[in-house]
Amino acid sequence: MDIHNYVVVIGGIIAIISAIYKLVIEPSIDAKIASLETKGFILIDNFKGNINDKLTTLDRKVDIHMQDYSNYKEANLLQANGLNERINHSWNKTKELFNDEKIERKEIQVFLKNQRDYKNRE
């Protein structure tokens, strides 16, 4: 046989092998790739669903804690304001009592000074 025949036979064998590959092996590879893509998409969808559920749960927990903090802060503020009002009330009452006592002391000093020779020692 000459080289031309060898080239024709080798070309035919390559054509047959490529035809078998195209008809048998490539569709199964494409099917496997499509199956993997489908599984990947399903996995991603499940993952997104789980992440969304977890984020929703965490968001609710954060909202609850934020509301607790807000209530705690407001209660402390009310308590502090109540204490400030009580302190101011007591202080004003004490100032009035001291002023009244000072006036009474002055009146007694004036009275004693008028009655006899009393000297103020302030």
Side-chain angles (χ1 to χ4, degrees):
M1 290 204 165
D2 60 353
I3 294 182
H4 184 313
N5 289 338
Y6 287 127
V7 171
V8 171
V9 170
I10 291 175
I13 291 173
I14 291 175
I16 292 173
I17 291 174
S18 66
I20 291 173
Y21 176 78
K22 290 277 186 186
L23 293 174
V24 177
I25 297 173
E26 192 173 289
S28 67
I29 290 175
D30 288 340
K32 287 179 183 177
I33 289 173
S35 172
L36 287 175
E37 285 177 351
T38 308
K39 288 178 183 176
F41 290 140
I42 291 171
L43 184 65
I44 289 171
D45 288 340
N46 288 341
F47 183 70
K48 284 197 305 190
N50 290 340
I51 291 294
N52 285 338
D53 292 342
K54 288 181 182 180
L55 284 175
T56 304
T57 304
L58 287 175
D59 188 39
R60 287 181 187 149
K61 287 181 181 178
V62 167
D63 286 344
I64 289 170
H65 288 297
M66 291 294 288
Q67 187 63 38
D68 275 351
Y69 174 73
S70 175
N71 291 341
Y72 175 76
K73 182 178 161 186
E74 188 174 325
N76 284 338
L77 186 63
L78 287 173
Q79 183 181 12
N81 287 339
L83 289 175
N84 283 338
E85 288 177 10
R86 286 176 60 190
I87 290 169
N88 288 337
H89 175 72
S90 297
W91 178 252
N92 290 336
K93 192 174 179 181
T94 305
K95 271 184 13 181
E96 289 175 12
L97 288 174
F98 280 135
N99 286 337
D100 290 345
E101 188 176 313
K102 188 176 180 182
I103 292 171
E104 286 177 12
R105 195 175 334 123
K106 289 270 186 195
E107 289 174 355
I108 291 172
Q109 286 174 355
V110 169
F111 175 75
L112 288 175
K113 194 173 190 181
N114 289 339
Q115 291 295 323
R116 54 189 159 136
D117 293 329
Y118 173 77
K119 291 183 183 178
N120 190 2
R121 295 188 220 176
E122 282 188 28

